[in-house]
Amino acid sequence: SPRLRNSANLPNSGTGSILISKSYGSTWTTSTAPTSLQWQKIALSASGQYITAVAASSGIYVSSSYGASWSQNNTATSAWSSVSLSSSGQYQIASITTGASFLSINFGVTWTQITSLPNAVGAPFVSISSSGKYQLFSDSNTGVYLSSNYGVTWTIVQGSGSTGYNSAVISSGLHGQTSLLNSLTNRYESAVLG
């Protein structure tokens, strides 16, 4: 099965299906995920067994069967905007536009609000390292926050203001190198975290 891990942008207007490929993109089949939802982002584990998708005003949907079946594991009817999974799928983080972020440490079965992160003011981005140890939250209005202990505690690494970070990515490398893209100044920054 494909070794995709990063979150993919999905069209943000209309509704549609989630398509699954087990042939590295050569062929596609429609999954059993609901087709009446406005899907925003989707992410999957390295093996493809665990897939998590967030839908506008419809919650978090999780598959632990390579997309064969789906369950709605968080019913918050907010505008979900971002999701990321560790390679195994055990650690997951999802964020709401102009709202809270949530963490799962059990393959997306249950979700807990991350109260130590501020509510997003804009559309936040989240990213998680391969192991799940390092996690990033980025919102151009509230700043960039880092967790280096599986989402237990968070530290601000870049404050809000004129920096305008609109993306956060963590590499899958051994030490969880972090990369931040600053859209206002077209500046790329990175830091080794461990």
Side-chain angles (χ1 to χ4, degrees):
S1 62
R3 297 260 175 203
L4 301 174
R5 193 179 67 77
N6 290 327
S7 177
N9 287 320
L10 298 173
N12 59 4
S13 61
T15 59
S17 302
I18 293 178
L19 302 176
I20 304 289
S21 175
K22 295 181 181 177
S23 61
Y24 297 93
S26 294
T27 59
W28 296 86
T29 58
T30 302
S31 76
T32 60
T35 58
S36 60
L37 302 179
Q38 186 179 349
W39 298 108
Q40 296 298 305
K41 296 277 181 131
I42 188 168
L44 62 153
S45 63
S47 69
Q49 179 179 356
Y50 298 97
I51 307 170
T52 300
V54 293
S57 304
S58 300
I60 300 173
Y61 287 77
V62 176
S63 173
S64 60
S65 59
Y66 300 92
S69 62
W70 294 80
S71 61
Q72 185 181 17
N73 290 2
N74 185 310
T75 58
T77 57
S78 300
W80 293 93
S81 62
S82 190
V83 64
S84 187
L85 276 65
S86 64
S87 287
S88 68
Q90 178 180 357
Y91 299 96
Q92 303 186 18
I93 184 172
S95 286
I96 297 172
T97 300
T98 64
S101 295
F102 291 80
L103 179 68
S104 175
I105 60 170
N106 58 5
F107 300 91
V109 174
T110 59
W111 294 83
T112 304
Q113 183 176 341
I114 305 170
T115 57
S116 57
L117 279 177
N119 282 352
V121 176
F125 292 87
V126 292
S127 187
I128 195 166
S129 67
S130 180
S131 67
K133 180 177 180 179
Y134 299 101
Q135 300 180 27
L136 274 178
F137 165 89
S138 173
D139 176 56
S140 61
N141 295 297
T142 57
V144 179
Y145 291 77
L146 169 70
S147 173
S148 57
N149 57 5
Y150 300 93
V152 175
T153 59
W154 293 81
T155 304
I156 190 164
V157 294
Q158 178 66 51
S160 62
S162 62
T163 55
Y165 287 105
N166 69 352
S167 185
V169 179
I170 298 180
S171 71
S172 297
L174 177 65
H175 299 294
Q177 179 173 330
T178 304
S179 301
L180 303 173
L181 172 65
N182 183 327
S183 65
L184 296 180
T185 60
N186 297 318
R187 185 175 68 213
Y188 173 85
E189 298 180 18
S190 66
V192 176
L193 303 175

